[in-house]
Amino acid sequence: MMPSSARTREGVLYALACYGAWGVFPAFWKLVASVPPAEVLAHRILWSLLAVAAMLAWRRGGGAVLVLLGNRRIVLTLAVSTLCISFNWLVFIAAVADGEVLQASLGYFLNPLVNVALGVLVLKERLRPLQWLAVGIAATGLVGPILAGGTPPWTALALALSFGVYGLLRKRLPAVTPLAGLAIETGLMAPLALAYLQGGRGRLDLCV
């Protein structure tokens, strides 16, 4: 088992990679701003499923997914997490398309604070004094952007809360690897995405 210090460093690197990628995503979604957000989401689901299926085939991980599908509790939890991440994706795509990149950015700035709150309140984790200080500094930094907006940042709150709950649900499933979980989630979403694209409201050949 990996030492806690090594796991902490690994977690920090993963977090930096994730948030760095999310920082670049708006530039891509802006390229398809003329396409309805639901249609972009449908394509994202289907192409993600194909990519995940290819990775599972390469790693020979299909058997693990089948085992997970036989566990009703896991499938039901992943069904709820699927709703959370689908909503999160849709809100994010729509926010960028509508020119609300700052709101989207604020949402993902809020997300770590939501994660901390869920960790303390739901998972009963304890923070050290310096960690509380860091949380306080981050929370103080949010006051200016929120007050400057003049209205409650609903988009940011929707992104932060949906992704925070998604993370909490996935943490409740330690036996589910990220790749297997994403395979099941995109598989659950795929029929709806395909039905949308084939129903005359979307296009299977997304052109940008």
Side-chain angles (χ1 to χ4, degrees):
M1 186 174 180
M2 189 182 298
S4 59
S5 58
R7 286 179 61 85
T8 298
R9 285 195 298 272
E10 184 182 44
V12 170
L13 291 175
Y14 280 136
L16 289 174
C18 287
Y19 283 101
W22 287 331
V24 177
F25 280 166
F28 174 77
W29 298 128
K30 215 40 176 168
L31 296 175
V32 293
S34 61
V35 181
E39 186 174 344
V40 177
L41 175 61
H43 277 279
R44 181 175 183 176
I45 292 166
L46 294 176
W47 290 110
S48 294
L49 178 59
L50 289 176
V52 171
M55 286 187 282
L56 283 173
W58 178 56
R59 295 187 176 186
R60 294 184 174 86
V65 173
L66 292 177
V67 171
L68 293 174
L69 289 173
N71 187 311
R72 183 175 179 179
R73 183 185 71 85
I74 288 177
V75 172
L76 288 175
T77 303
L78 287 174
V80 179
S81 71
T82 297
L83 294 175
C84 290
I85 198 62
S86 299
F87 177 76
N88 184 271
W89 286 356
L90 182 61
V91 172
F92 180 65
I93 295 168
V96 175
D98 291 341
E100 295 185 358
V101 176
L102 290 180
Q103 276 270 349
S105 300
L106 182 60
Y108 288 114
F109 188 82
L110 273 168
N111 178 243
L113 297 179
V114 172
N115 290 340
V116 170
L118 291 174
V120 172
L121 298 175
V122 180
L123 301 178
K124 307 303 180 183
E125 296 180 359
R126 295 184 178 181
L127 298 181
R128 296 188 296 273
L130 284 179
Q131 291 174 321
W132 277 116
L133 177 61
V135 170
I137 292 173
T140 302
L142 290 170
V143 174
I146 291 176
L147 292 179
T151 58
W154 298 119
T155 298
L157 291 173
L159 287 169
L161 291 173
S162 59
F163 202 60
V165 174
Y166 172 77
L168 177 64
L169 291 170
R170 290 300 300 271
K171 188 173 179 62
R172 294 285 195 179
L173 301 174
V176 180
T177 64
L179 190 59
L182 183 59
I184 294 174
E185 288 169 345
T186 51
L188 291 172
M189 289 186 280
L192 293 176
L194 190 59
Y196 175 85
L197 292 174
Q198 289 183 329
R201 293 170 293 178
R203 296 161 296 180
L204 286 172
D205 56 339
L206 179 60
C207 298
V208 296

